[in-house]
């Protein structure tokens, strides 16, 4: 990976990759856990770095930093598990807040839990088109900027803005909030 670690199998490359892993694994893990649950987060987060290592030669530092590239890989792996994700959100939507008290650890769901809206949010997330859900959750869970989301998903800055706006509007509507809230 140009600018992040070298392709040569030397000690420096291993150290660079270990530093990259240490720096980004916790954020990747939280993002995946927020999308799919802790039960698969370890595997998918680890797979993210395995793929990054295998594809390090395609990373182009001129296009942006490594963090969005890693989240792009993680988001594609999450996409492979979308049916599970959608089923999970629909199941949470059917349960009451007390029944899912330990199923999530991310900030968004913690806030929703406190407000007692968990099932409605889960249903709203399940009902979003995948592209809108990806953009919204990269923004909310990974705290990505529009530029980072665009890089992670390989879409334009403007597409990020429009998807995020539509997703927020749909979630607000599902939660019974007005567009100004």
């Amino acid at each position: 990976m140009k600018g992040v670690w070298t392709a040569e199998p030397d000690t420096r490359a291993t150290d660079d990759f270990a530093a990259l892993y240490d720096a980004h694994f916790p954020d990747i893990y939280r993002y995946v856990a927020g999308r799919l649950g802790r039960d698969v987060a370890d595997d998918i987060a680890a797979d993210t770095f395995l793929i990054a290592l295998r594809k390090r030669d395609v990373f182009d530092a001129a296009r942006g930093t490594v963090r969005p590239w890693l989240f792009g890989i993680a988001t594609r792996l999450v996409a492979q598990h979308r049916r599970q994700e959608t089923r999970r959100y629909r199941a949470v939507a059917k349960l009451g807040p007390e029944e899912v008290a330990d199923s999530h650890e991310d900030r968004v769901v913690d806030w929703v839990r406190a407000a007692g809206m968990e099932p409605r949010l889960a249903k709203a997330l399940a009902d979003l088109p995948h592209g809108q859900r990806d953009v919204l959750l990269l923004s909310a869970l990974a705290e990505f900027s529009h530029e980072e989301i665009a890089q992670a998903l390989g879409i334009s800055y403007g597409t990020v803005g429009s998807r995020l706006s539509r997703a927020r509007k749909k979630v607000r509507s599902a939660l019974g909030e007005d567009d100004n809230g």
Side-chain angles (χ1 to χ4, degrees), residues 35-57:
R35 299 280 313 254
L36 299 174
R38 291 183 294 172
D39 54 327
V40 296
D42 275 326
D43 290 340
I44 292 178
D47 286 348
T48 297
F49 287 91
L50 182 62
I51 290 168
L53 182 61
R54 286 182 184 154
K55 294 187 173 198
R56 66 188 178 268
D57 57 324

Side-chain angles (χ1 to χ4, degrees), residues 86-150:
T86 300
R87 284 192 301 264
R88 179 172 166 254
Y89 284 136
R90 292 197 192 287
V92 170
K94 293 177 183 176
L95 301 174
E98 308 80 37
E99 297 175 77
V100 288
D102 294 325
S103 67
H104 304 287
E105 293 183 344
D106 61 78
R107 291 178 296 101
V108 174
V109 178
D110 286 344
W111 171 79
V112 171
R113 220 179 258 135
M117 292 185 233
E118 194 168 81
R120 290 189 336 212
L121 176 63
K123 182 175 182 340
L125 291 171
D127 290 344
L128 285 176
H130 298 302
Q132 290 177 15
R133 187 183 317 148
D134 288 341
V135 168
L136 180 66
L137 293 176
L138 278 169
S139 175
L141 298 176
E143 298 180 356
F144 267 24
S145 68
H146 283 50
E147 293 88 4
E148 290 172 316
I149 295 169

Side-chain angles (χ1 to χ4, degrees), residues 131-179:
Q132 290 177 15
R133 187 183 317 148
D134 288 341
V135 168
L136 180 66
L137 293 176
L138 278 169
S139 175
L141 298 176
E143 298 180 356
F144 267 24
S145 68
H146 283 50
E147 293 88 4
E148 290 172 316
I149 295 169
Q151 183 186 351
L153 299 178
I155 58 178
S156 73
Y157 181 94
T159 300
V160 171
S162 62
R163 286 183 184 177
L164 189 55
S165 177
R166 286 187 199 114
R168 286 176 174 160
K169 184 175 183 174
K170 289 175 183 178
V171 170
R172 275 192 219 101
S173 177
L175 296 177
E177 297 178 5
D178 63 26
D179 284 337

